[in-house]
Amino acid sequence: MCFAETCQVKKAAEQTSFEVLVNAHNKFEMAFAEYRDEVVAYNDGVEKKHLSLAATIASFESFHVIQEELHLGYEKDMDVFDRFDSGADNGHCGLTDCQVQAVCGAQLKSHFETFVSTDTCTPAPYSVDKICNPPPSPPPPSPAPVVVQEVVGEVKDMETPVLPGQEEKAVEEEKTGGEPMPYPQGPYRGEARAW
């Protein structure tokens, strides 16, 4: 073999090797690009996780304020329930001690004889239920009967009422023989009313 032929064989082998190298490099580039995309996605996930964690912590801390408000409301409701459950309000009609004292003071002033026997100056037997559930008040007296005198005489037809400004229209309807349209009765000011 001569030098030129050896050179061409080497060049062809080199060309084939270079194409294999280019194909391998392209595969590497594709694998590297996929790896890079996965790394970026992972890093984004980590960043989102940190942002989600910060948002969760912030909402959890804002929950403490709401929890305190709810806790105060719960405590108030629980106190009311405990008073009801223990029977502390029995006989008080659900009123607080202060309200009962105010009611009792007003009742003593206005109905002293009901609560205190004035002859012996001792408390009169009286149940709190009479205050909380008083007997029904008697019905009001019926009104006296009204006597209506009967007037015997001739019955006259009344004229159809005519609103101011409608006189001409009423006269025309009488001339044509048509009945005038009745006007609504009552304290209306000429406004349309839906029946």
Side-chain angles (χ1 to χ4, degrees):
M1 276 199 167
C2 72
F3 177 73
E5 193 177 342
T6 308
C7 190
Q8 283 182 346
V9 170
K10 284 185 180 181
K11 185 177 178 188
E14 187 178 295
Q15 185 69 30
T16 306
S17 300
F18 185 72
E19 286 176 9
V20 169
L21 180 64
V22 167
N23 288 338
H25 180 72
N26 288 341
K27 287 181 184 177
F28 168 77
E29 283 288 331
M30 289 174 26
F32 184 74
E34 187 178 327
Y35 170 76
R36 185 177 53 230
D37 292 344
E38 289 177 5
V39 167
V40 168
Y42 175 80
N43 288 339
D44 287 346
V46 169
E47 186 176 340
K48 286 179 184 174
K49 181 181 89 170
H50 290 306
L51 293 174
S52 297
L53 177 64
T56 303
I57 289 172
S59 64
F60 182 71
E61 288 178 1
S62 67
F63 171 73
H64 287 300
V65 176
I66 297 169
Q67 181 191 18
E68 286 298 320
E69 291 173 8
L70 292 175
H71 181 70
L72 292 175
Y74 172 78
E75 288 294 324
K76 182 180 176 186
D77 290 344
M78 198 62 200
D79 289 343
V80 171
F81 176 76
D82 284 341
R83 279 194 359 240
F84 168 77
D85 194 40
S86 68
D89 284 342
N90 286 346
H92 291 149
C93 305
L95 300 175
T96 64
D97 290 338
C98 178
Q99 290 170 327
V100 169
Q101 288 175 0
V103 169
C104 289
Q107 286 292 319
L108 278 173
K109 286 180 184 176
S110 61
H111 303 288
F112 185 76
E113 313 77 44
T114 306
F115 301 105
V116 177
S117 175
T118 54
D119 299 336
T120 61
C121 200
T122 58
Y126 197 81
S127 172
V128 178
D129 289 337
K130 290 182 183 177
I131 296 173
C132 297
N133 303 312
S137 59
S142 59
V146 177
V147 178
V148 178
Q149 291 181 346
E150 192 173 319
V151 178
V152 178
E154 189 177 308
V155 177
K156 296 181 183 178
D157 288 333
M158 292 182 62
E159 291 182 21
T160 305
V162 179
L163 293 176
Q166 299 290 325
E167 292 93 5
E168 296 108 22
K169 190 175 181 182
V171 170
E172 277 182 35
E173 286 179 359
E174 279 184 30
K175 285 180 186 176
T176 60
E179 264 187 46
M181 189 170 168
Y183 294 103
Q185 302 296 316
Y188 305 115
R189 298 188 185 115
E191 301 164 354
R193 297 281 181 194
W195 299 98

